[in-house]
Amino acid sequence: MPIFRAVATMFLLSTLSLAGCKIIKTPTAEEASAAAATATNNPDRMVADLWDTKVIPYLDARAGAFNDVLALSVSDVEAAGAKYGHREKQGNPPWTLAAKVDGKVLAAETASRAGSVDIDTNGDGKADVRVQIGAAVKGNAIRDSLDFVGFNQFKNQIEWAQFGKSFNAHLNSVVLAKLPRDKLVGSRIQALGVFPVGAAQQLPLLTPVRIIVEPGT
């Protein structure tokens, strides 16, 4: 009889112990893939999660002074890309380069939703770069400048395109919407941003991820 009671007691204790444990199921490969797909189906959330933790630190570390970046891109675009930029392996896209701009506003376009300012970065009185100030942002330069995101993470071209639009929408919400629109000519602009390598006769179009406007004197 004592043996029976001991066995019964041990069984009861083991049952209670199991009842207090939480069994965590290891997801299957299909479940993990579905979770990843769900994440890519919400590009706005993806961008918000990446912005401060990865995008800004990455571009801060990658960027060079605009004049240096531009000069190298003219003389050796592959070297400029390797040092300051990124390009997606799919297709044949241009390099997108990261740069820090510091200069004087010579002209401002604020009547259009695709607002911009032309900046003299070397003091010669001529514009060297055009910086987008929104609200509408052209292109996908932010998305295309990042080496930790890529087309293969998305199901198709539509989702990849939406990811780029989400970057532009987030940029406008957290950065560009706060900028002044009046008396920009003569102001000093300091910006961290990215621009695709384009035709030599055109002003580089820089999309800023951080921008400071100081009133002119």
Side-chain angles (χ1 to χ4, degrees):
M1 192 68 176
I3 294 176
F4 175 77
R5 288 179 179 173
V7 171
T9 300
M10 290 177 64
F11 176 77
L12 179 61
L13 289 174
S14 64
T15 301
L16 290 173
S17 177
L18 286 173
C21 295
K22 182 179 180 181
I23 299 174
I24 301 176
K25 179 186 176 183
T26 301
T28 65
E30 291 78 10
E31 289 169 336
S33 177
T38 299
T40 60
N41 284 336
N42 193 335
D44 293 343
R45 186 179 67 193
M46 287 179 65
V47 168
D49 289 344
L50 290 171
W51 189 261
D52 290 323
T53 59
K54 296 195 73 173
V55 174
I56 303 301
Y58 172 80
L59 293 178
D60 239 335
R62 194 73 168 157
F66 174 77
N67 292 335
D68 295 338
V69 176
L70 183 63
L72 186 56
S73 73
V74 171
S75 63
D76 189 340
V77 68
E78 295 299 318
K83 186 172 184 179
Y84 301 114
H86 174 69
R87 66 179 173 187
E88 180 65 20
K89 294 180 175 61
Q90 300 291 330
N92 189 31
W95 285 103
T96 302
L97 308 178
K100 295 177 180 178
V101 168
D102 188 347
K104 183 179 180 181
V105 178
L106 300 184
E109 169 54 72
T110 57
S112 167
R113 275 184 50 78
S116 63
V117 288
D118 292 353
I119 310 294
D120 174 11
T121 61
N122 58 15
D124 66 355
K126 298 178 182 179
D128 302 295
V129 60
R130 180 165 292 161
V131 178
Q132 301 201 74
I133 59 172
V137 178
K138 299 177 181 179
N140 294 299
I142 301 176
R143 181 200 68 185
D144 295 345
S145 69
L146 307 174
D147 69 357
F148 50 85
V149 295
F151 176 78
N152 289 334
Q153 294 173 244
F154 296 80
K155 288 196 300 185
N156 51 46
Q157 186 66 41
I158 294 173
E159 287 192 357
W160 179 237
Q162 184 56 54
F163 189 49
K165 291 180 181 178
S166 292
F167 271 115
N168 293 347
H170 188 79
L171 167 66
N172 187 61
S173 175
V174 302
V175 178
L176 302 183
K178 303 173 184 177
L179 294 179
R181 300 286 158 174
D182 299 325
K183 300 180 180 178
L184 286 171
V185 175
S187 298
R188 180 187 178 194
I189 292 278
Q190 293 177 292
L192 166 67
V194 291
F195 67 96
V197 176
Q201 68 272 21
Q202 295 178 345
L203 281 180
L205 182 64
L206 184 127
T207 304
V209 296
R210 185 175 65 223
I211 185 168
I212 299 171
V213 179
E214 297 179 354
T217 57

